[in-house]
Amino acid sequence: MKMKQQHIFFVSCLFLLPFALFAQQSVQNIRGTVHDAASGTPLAYATVALKNTALPTGAITDSLGHFIFKDIPVGRYDIEVSYMGYNPVIIPEILLTSAKEAVLDISLQENLTKLGEVVVRPTVNKSQPMNKMALSSARMLSVEEASRFAGGFDDPARLAATFAGVNTNLGDNGIVVRGNAPKFLQWRLEDVEIPNPNHFAEVAGFGGGGLTALSSQVLGNSDFFTGAFPAEYGNALSGVFDLKLRTGNNERMENTAQIGTIGIDLASEGPLKKGGQASYLFNYRYSDLGLVSDFGMKYQDLSFKLNFPTKRAGTFSVWGMGWLDHFKEDAEMNKEKWEYTDDRERFDTKIYSGAMGAAHRISLGNSAYWKTTLAATANRIDTHTEQMDDQLQLQPSHIIKKTNWNFVLSSYINKRFGAKHTNRTGINVTGLKYDMLLKNADPVSTPLQTISDEDGASALLSAYTNSSFNLSDKWTFNVGLHGQYFALNQHYSIEPRAGVRYNASSDQSVSLSYGLHSRMELLNYYFTRNETGELINKDLDFTRAHHLVLSYDWNIGNNYHLRVEPYVQFLYDVPVIPDSSFSFLNLKDKWFVREKLENTGKGFNYGIDLTFEKFMSQGYYYMLTGSLFNARYKGGDHIWRDTRYNRNFLVNFLIGKEWMVGRSKQNMFSANINVASQGGERYSPVDEQATQVRPDKEVQYDESKAFSKQLPVAFIAHFTISYKINRKRIAHEFAIKMLNATFYEEYMGHSYNFKTHKIDKVYEGINVPNISYKIGF
């Protein structure tokens, strides 16, 4: 405890450090590249105008599409970009600090309107995804939002929880999309599916973890999809988080160092060679949560990207990320202090994960480009759990030793056939190598039984094609097809995708999107063995879902945006246990499935999502999101019930304000708050009689009434307060970030109380303060 107090005191003292610096106007550069959205070809002589300035400031791109504004006073700016024959856009909310250049990558879409017909007004691109093939249920997540929004904790997964139709828990940031289990979400990095990139992934629940292992320091603008996604995305059922790493500054070195109550964060970027075009970017983080909480958790992660542009051979890049986690807790040796089973358990969990790839992108004339990525991903979980008996002897409870290696080839060609037709066609080849050992004692004190013990290799193959047709300035039609094949059991899936958008006016549009989607299960379930050693689930098929989304968008001026999306999802071929309420739609943390599964389960989700947002302007922003929904499932007993994740409603309200202060108005004080309310989590009633007869008193539930109970409505708030000091080529930031400022206690399940001999609901109040100091130079 003393060590924790010393650590917090040391970081807090940073706020009292005097700065013997004189006031002067701090300036920085804004530069970037403008290119065609479909082909990636640079657009020479495009007009770039800098807004929010006392005097109008403009620039023209050079032959390579580059532009630069030099020595701009620090602050926030909007940039308007226009080019003859293309739709103009406004890039809002660019935060310029003294320590970092703002480097932008701007794409323009060709305009079908003939010259002189109408005046084309610029649109704010923040409300649209980066992937132009998506017409509904998609949103761009910006780098700036990831560091600004309260409750985000520089974590993209927690930031996504502020979007309509999305929620996470406090202790487990598994992303629930429209009532679907977190394990149905696909994580992608640089066009490659990667393992769940959360620290302590799969420990508290499949698809979740503690914090994402990718810092906002290296994150580029990325897309988040909540339904009916384009044909290039396969092996995903509920949504896709398509993450991108930004490219490092290739003209000057920039460094960032941060220390806080939860750990350290170091980042650097710059040119690999002075005067060259190649650049590097890396970020390292280390945290020991034991310094600020009772959790004995330690983690560290590293991310990097190397970028090598060439004159004629295209652009080569090498990227990667890796993370290490360790969570250990010993059993209480004093029997008098045993209250719950956790008190007498000893567990040790180590997780090693990572992804690394090399990519090549080359232009094929002025209308197409070809991108190919070779990558490898790895994930190893090593968990040993033991339980102390009444004689203070440790008895094995379970063992999970699982290693997965994936070797990936991803390649596609993006081709523009004139102004009206763009096509993307590609393949993904994933080699699956596995080595797993799962053992479980049920109940504890009985011999460990082997659930899975396999090693070998298989493959997941997929191909897709997706076309976007701009039929006129009012009508856009997208159509695509995705197919995938699982070599382990020779199952395949053919999945049509389609969407249409009607632009009723320059600021209002209506879209309708459809997609058939599927996802394979974790490999250990295919290798379940029964008591006689027979493989009983190797023939499991994909879980599939039809998505249908209607979307209405209204850009109210340049600063406001309204989106309303009603949707329907029908899930089928869901793995269930015959004559049971069990379904993989509710699967959270059940590793040990010994029963035979069959693909006869179903699910039905429907609801409406609403987003009303004011973009950052006049020093403040806000976003209100709400969702009303219903998520139902039918298990192996053919009875329809609420799913575990059917909270029925979600409401999020974010608001933030910035003040430019100081004699030269170059420092910034900001305050951000996120207030959320959501329906209570669902759970099954306890079977007290079945629990009492078990020697280990592991709580048993009445599965005939699965998820018929619901907890009270949850109310949670987070806030962030920061103060940025800009000086010549150096910037300081002091921040206080509070996760769960309302001290909401989250339901963790039921547990038998050995003192009262009753079964208690167990709650845990996860409250994480992060007091930090960051310097950029």
Side-chain angles (χ1 to χ4, degrees), residues 17 30 34 37 60 109 131 169 249 283 285 303 333 357 375 382 395 420 435 449 510 522 526 594 610 629 653 714 754:
L17 290 175
I30 300 176
V34 180
I60 302 295
Q109 285 189 301
N131 189 323
N169 289 332
N249 193 323
N283 176 253
R285 299 188 301 179
S303 306
M333 298 299 295
D382 191 348
Q395 302 295 332
K420 292 189 175 184
D435 186 357
Q449 300 294 317
V510 179
L522 294 174
Y526 296 94
R594 297 217 65 159
L610 179 144
F629 64 98
F653 181 65
F754 290 94

Side-chain angles (χ1 to χ4, degrees), residues 497-699:
R497 318 281 174 88
V500 60
R501 179 169 62 203
Y502 173 68
N503 295 316
S505 63
S506 61
D507 51 17
Q508 296 186 68
S509 65
V510 179
S511 304
L512 181 66
S513 299
Y514 163 79
L516 174 61
H517 309 282
S518 67
R519 186 163 175 82
M520 61 180 284
E521 300 300 334
L522 294 174
L523 284 175
N524 54 284
Y525 295 114
Y526 296 94
F527 297 107
T528 298
R529 294 185 181 272
N530 60 16
E531 290 79 359
T532 63
E534 177 189 2
L535 288 174
I536 55 175
N537 292 321
K538 190 174 181 179
D539 198 45
L540 272 182
D541 204 347
F542 298 104
T543 299
R544 295 174 168 85
H546 294 286
H547 289 194
L548 184 65
V549 183
L550 179 66
S551 182
Y552 168 72
D553 282 275
W554 183 15
N555 288 314
I556 308 169
N558 285 331
N559 296 322
Y560 297 87
H561 177 243
L562 172 69
R563 171 174 290 177
V564 182
E565 284 195 337
Y567 65 88
V568 175
Q569 299 177 350
F570 176 68
L571 298 90
Y572 63 103
D573 288 347
V574 181
V576 297
I577 297 175
D579 303 317
S580 165
S581 62
F582 178 88
S583 169
F584 267 38
L585 295 186
N586 302 308
L587 197 63
K588 182 179 181 181
D589 54 6
K590 189 178 178 63
W591 283 95
F592 309 107
V593 178
R594 297 217 65 159
E595 296 83 358
K596 181 173 176 55
L597 300 166
E598 61 182 26
N599 291 97
T600 59
K602 299 183 185 300
F604 186 59
N605 305 331
Y606 61 92
I608 184 169
D609 296 339
L610 179 144
T611 301
F612 182 69
E613 182 172 12
K614 178 190 180 296
F615 304 137
M616 176 67 78
S617 63
Q618 299 176 315
Y620 75 101
Y621 72 92
Y622 60 81
M623 182 171 71
L624 174 67
T625 64
S627 301
L628 293 174
F629 64 98
N630 201 21
R632 305 273 290 172
Y633 83 100
K634 184 165 69 172
D637 57 3
H638 307 292
I639 298 175
W640 284 95
R641 298 180 174 88
D642 292 302
T643 70
R644 178 196 295 271
Y645 303 99
N646 189 17
R647 292 180 179 266
N648 295 126
F649 80 91
L650 306 168
V651 178
N652 266 286
F653 181 65
L654 296 94
I655 188 168
K657 171 67 177 172
E658 295 177 347
W659 295 267
M660 300 304 294
V661 297
R663 269 187 278 179
S664 301
K665 301 295 182 183
Q666 63 184 12
N667 301 330
M668 179 185 291
F669 177 79
S670 66
N672 304 271
I673 188 169
N674 175 11
V675 179
S677 181
Q678 56 189 16
E681 187 174 343
R682 293 189 180 271
Y683 66 97
S684 303
V686 171
D687 187 335
E688 295 194 21
Q689 184 176 356
T691 302
Q692 291 287 354
V693 299
R694 283 182 64 97
D696 59 359
K697 297 297 186 287
E698 181 181 330
V699 174

Side-chain angles (χ1 to χ4, degrees), residues 417-434:
F417 299 92
K420 292 189 175 184
H421 178 204
T422 299
N423 175 270
R424 178 174 294 185
T425 298
I427 61 168
N428 291 287
V429 179
T430 304
L432 309 169
K433 182 172 174 53
Y434 50 85

